[in-house]
Amino acid sequence: DTSVTEVNSFSPSVPISPSSMINQYKFEDEPELRDLFITVDEPESHITAIETFITYRVVTKTTRGEFDSSEYEVRRRYQDFLWLKSKLEEAHPTLIIPPLPEKFIMKGMVERFSDDFIETRRKALHKFLNRIADHPTLTFNEDFKIFLTAQAWELSSHKKQGPGFLSRMGQTVRAVASSVRGAVKNRPEMFTEMNNYMETFSQKINLLDKIAHRIYKEERDYFNEMKEYGPIHTLWSASEEDIADSLKGLASCIDRCCRAMEKRMAGLSEHLLPILHEYVLYSEILMGVLKRRDQIQGELDSKVDALASKKTEKDLFSEEIGKLEDKVERANNALKADWDRWKQNMQWDMRSTFTNVAENNLRYYEE
């Protein structure tokens, strides 16, 4: 990783703030190269005799030739997003599909269907679709296009169609892999390193997530206590003429501290907690992707072993092994490219998130 010293070497005579330092990195495609823009907004509650659910407006603007129009507006519920994610996983088993927010929020954080919950989910769904739109392969997926453009009845009709070839292929891979025991024999060193990296990353990001939630809870408890002290000092000043001014001044200071802490808590809940939790979900997704790559490798290994033990049907086995070798190579190449891209984005997100937290803390203590 580029160190702070290296970044400062761009212009040693000019002090660089954390914000401007972040702006010197560029991992995503240039904005002017993008040709697909998606917005998720306007959540709307729907109450039926059977269920209560929320739909979100999804607005798409594009200049791509494969779209019949330059702008689309549809409404989607959470289940539709789940369907899209599952279709992407079926079609691209060794690509890193962005995470969706969980169906149910953790107990004690916010109530389901509250404004805070709906807004948190809306932001996560917006990010989910835009991460897909920015992905060099997923962005051209046919189910993604249907999700963005089809009206509700068209999407329902499309969902009812049976699983495609890729889905059946995925089931076959899982069936074969379930019979494979132990570690993959011929796993390339690169994927062993990825696996080790993700095990460590998963432990660290889960720990950071827990620490961040604990900090937020402690801040919230402190804030709730502090809110009571301002009015108490104001009431006290009414019965203490000699120190009334001092008590009122103290009440005013406590009130300003409360406002500063409220802004700090908002920064944690809007910028730190969602990013950390997103990468907790990413760590689970990455482990799953690496397992699927190993399953494809395991299928190839089992065929090679079968060929070595059989003298007959050699031509048939050789042909199958050739196809499986191609399949493993495609899976490896897809994962390698996606891994590099994901790691760069992760480092960008972590760097900007923690820099943002540091700047919020500086502002808080200054205030």
Side-chain angles (χ1 to χ4, degrees):
D1 291 348
T2 306
S3 68
V4 175
T5 312
E6 288 169 330
V7 173
N8 277 324
S9 68
F10 290 135
S11 178
S13 59
V14 180
I16 296 179
S17 73
S19 288
S20 61
M21 183 174 79
I22 287 297
N23 292 333
Q24 304 210 20
Y25 294 89
K26 233 173 184 153
F27 292 132
E28 296 290 358
D29 296 334
E30 295 290 336
E32 59 267 21
L33 299 179
R34 288 183 63 191
D35 54 8
L36 187 63
F37 299 88
I38 304 167
T39 306
V40 178
D41 59 13
E42 295 188 12
E44 194 176 283
S45 295
H46 301 264
I47 301 170
T48 68
I50 302 171
E51 60 178 341
T52 300
F53 60 93
I54 309 291
T55 63
Y56 301 84
R57 186 177 75 152
V58 179
V59 177
T60 304
K61 296 181 181 180
T62 183
T63 55
R64 289 186 188 172
E66 66 264 28
F67 286 83
D68 297 329
S69 174
S70 61
E71 188 168 338
Y72 295 88
E73 182 179 317
V74 295
R75 293 204 75 83
R76 297 286 181 254
R77 57 185 295 184
Y78 181 76
Q79 288 180 357
D80 299 327
F81 287 86
L82 278 178
W83 169 83
L84 173 61
K85 185 171 185 291
S86 70
K87 295 299 284 184
L88 292 173
E89 286 171 346
E90 284 175 12
H92 309 283
T94 54
L95 287 183
I96 302 165
I97 312 301
L100 272 173
E102 296 98 331
K103 189 164 187 178
F104 299 106
I105 203 82
M106 280 188 299
K107 192 177 177 185
M109 288 300 287
V110 290
E111 291 296 320
R112 191 165 174 243
F113 299 130
S114 71
D115 290 344
D116 287 344
F117 173 82
I118 292 168
E119 178 59 14
T120 300
R121 173 166 283 183
R122 183 201 66 76
K123 287 178 180 176
L125 296 176
H126 176 88
K127 181 181 275 191
F128 170 73
L129 292 184
N130 278 280
R131 285 206 188 275
I132 296 169
D134 288 339
H135 193 283
T137 303
L138 299 178
T139 188
F140 296 107
N141 177 276
E142 187 61 26
D143 288 306
F144 181 47
K145 179 185 169 188
I146 288 165
F147 177 90
L148 296 176
T149 61
Q151 292 306 309
W153 65 269
E154 293 174 302
L155 185 64
S156 296
S157 173
H158 185 73
K159 280 180 175 181
K160 287 172 185 172
Q161 295 174 13
F165 168 74
L166 286 164
S167 174
R168 294 196 298 274
M169 183 184 76
Q171 289 163 7
T172 305
V173 169
R174 284 192 291 274
V176 171
S178 65
S179 64
V180 178
R181 295 286 179 268
V184 178
K185 289 187 295 184
N186 299 312
R187 181 202 278 161
E189 182 63 28
M190 170 185 288
F191 298 107
T192 300
E193 289 174 6
M194 281 187 195
N195 209 66
N196 294 338
Y197 181 95
M198 283 315 302
E199 284 178 2
T200 305
F201 178 84
S202 179
Q203 291 170 0
K204 290 185 175 181
I205 201 71
N206 274 281
L207 183 59
L208 280 169
D209 187 51
K210 285 177 185 172
I211 291 169
H213 275 90
R214 192 180 72 209
I215 289 170
Y216 182 79
K217 183 182 179 301
E218 288 174 359
E219 294 271 311
R220 188 180 58 195
D221 292 345
Y222 183 46
F223 170 75
N224 289 335
E225 285 185 18
M226 193 183 282
K227 270 200 306 187
E228 297 176 10
Y229 285 119
I232 285 171
H233 283 78
T234 303
L235 288 170
W236 187 9
S237 68
S239 59
E240 295 280 359
E241 289 183 14
D242 294 345
I243 54 171
D245 290 343
S246 296
L247 290 170
K248 285 177 183 174
L250 189 54
S252 175
C253 286
I254 291 170
D255 186 51
R256 289 207 302 276
C257 285
C258 273
R259 288 199 299 271
M261 180 167 277
E262 198 166 21
K263 281 193 282 185
R264 187 187 186 195
M265 286 165 56
L268 288 172
S269 65
E270 289 173 21
H271 303 295
L272 179 65
L273 298 182
I275 291 291
L276 289 179
H277 195 63
E278 182 184 15
Y279 278 96
V280 167
L281 299 177
Y282 257 129
S283 69
E284 295 167 7
I285 288 166
L286 260 296
M287 296 300 280
V289 169
L290 287 163
K291 275 184 187 171
R292 289 197 287 274
R293 195 223 69 87
D294 282 355
Q295 287 166 359
I296 297 169
Q297 179 88 53
E299 190 179 1
L300 172 62
D301 291 347
S302 66
K303 288 289 182 189
V304 171
D305 290 344
L307 177 63
S309 63
K310 287 189 178 182
K311 303 296 179 190
T312 58
E313 302 175 358
K314 211 161 191 176
D315 292 341
L316 177 63
F317 268 91
S318 297
E319 187 181 342
E320 285 187 31
I321 286 170
K323 288 178 181 175
L324 282 169
E325 284 173 343
D326 289 343
K327 190 172 165 185
V328 169
E329 188 177 357
R330 286 197 302 272
N332 290 350
N333 290 337
L335 180 50
K336 276 190 282 190
D338 234 20
W339 172 263
D340 292 339
R341 187 176 181 279
W342 175 82
K343 208 169 171 186
Q344 279 192 326
N345 284 336
M346 180 270 289
Q347 289 169 349
W348 160 264
D349 283 342
M350 290 296 153
R351 188 181 286 118
S352 58
T353 296
F354 284 113
T355 303
N356 184 280
V357 169
E359 290 188 329
N360 278 344
N361 284 346
L362 285 170
R363 281 194 294 272
Y364 167 73
Y365 286 114
E366 282 170 358
E367 285 180 42

